[in-house]
Amino acid sequence: LRGLHQQQNSDGVRWTWAAAIVGEALHVHRWYGPASTSMYVHPGEYSTDDSLLRKTSQVDFVQWGDWTLFNAGRGNIPPQRYDGAVVAALPNAPYGVAMLKKQNQLMMIGTGTAQHGVAWSDADDITVWEPTAENLAGALTIEELRTPIRGAARLGQNVAVYSEDQMAMVYWVGAPFYYGQRVVLDGIGV
């Protein structure tokens, strides 16, 4: 099992979502009632064991209203959105290794080729990621990290971003940059 999520929709129905690696493919299922439903299968090079060249994927689930968003935990696969009818790539979203909701924005963490980036959507519109003067979307890079970002978690009002042996904090700073960052721990990571 590589991810687990519970979602309560506006109609009161509670769904359980689970992600697992079967063979080398990522399978995402949801369940309510007697049998689970296969929602998504991504064939690829998924592994159940860490190696120097390939890390196991940890799937992030985020509830956005009645939508379910999930990210495969790999920087080369787009985050997916289930809108109540179909699963499809989240429009315009960058690829990242972690995904989480911060207030009314969606954050993708571990973006870019070196996977040192953090990007966030416009407020209340998770399909807008290109920053303009009229929206709150944006991105930053944590250049001080020695290894790629491997995970993230909410830590109070901040977002703790973990590489293999460091931790950085991403925090709200307000307009015009919206978020700032700094490395706060060396020697401790994912």
Side-chain angles (χ1 to χ4, degrees), residues 29-41:
H29 289 261
R30 76 177 185 153
W31 177 83
Y32 172 76
S36 70
T37 303
S38 177
M39 301 301 291
Y40 177 82
V41 176

Side-chain angles (χ1 to χ4, degrees), residues 102-164:
K102 179 82 167 113
Q103 308 292 26
N104 59 347
Q105 293 175 293
L106 186 64
M107 298 184 91
M108 292 301 297
I109 299 162
T111 62
T113 305
Q115 295 178 335
H116 288 189
V118 176
W120 55 90
S121 70
D122 186 19
D124 297 319
D125 189 349
I126 60 173
T127 64
V128 175
W129 292 82
E130 187 66 35
T132 68
E134 290 78 37
N135 70 33
L136 300 180
L140 58 81
T141 303
I142 307 173
E143 294 291 345
E144 291 180 62
L145 296 178
R146 293 184 293 259
T147 61
I149 293 171
R150 298 293 186 209
R154 302 267 319 246
L155 187 60
Q157 294 182 358
N158 303 314
V159 176
V161 176
Y162 298 94
S163 69
E164 291 180 15

Side-chain angles (χ1 to χ4, degrees), residues 22-64:
V22 179
E24 286 197 346
L26 175 69
H27 292 254
V28 176
H29 289 261
R30 76 177 185 153
W31 177 83
Y32 172 76
S36 70
T37 303
S38 177
M39 301 301 291
Y40 177 82
V41 176
H42 188 276
E45 299 174 0
Y46 290 91
S47 174
T48 56
D49 297 313
D50 275 343
S51 70
L52 289 174
L53 300 176
R54 188 168 65 180
K55 301 293 181 187
T56 58
S57 295
Q58 304 300 320
V59 177
D60 296 316
F61 289 95
V62 172
Q63 180 174 346
W64 196 275

Side-chain angles (χ1 to χ4, degrees), residues 87-104:
V87 173
L90 181 62
N92 306 311
Y95 299 5
V97 298
M99 174 179 66
L100 57 83
K101 181 179 180 181
K102 179 82 167 113
Q103 308 292 26
N104 59 347

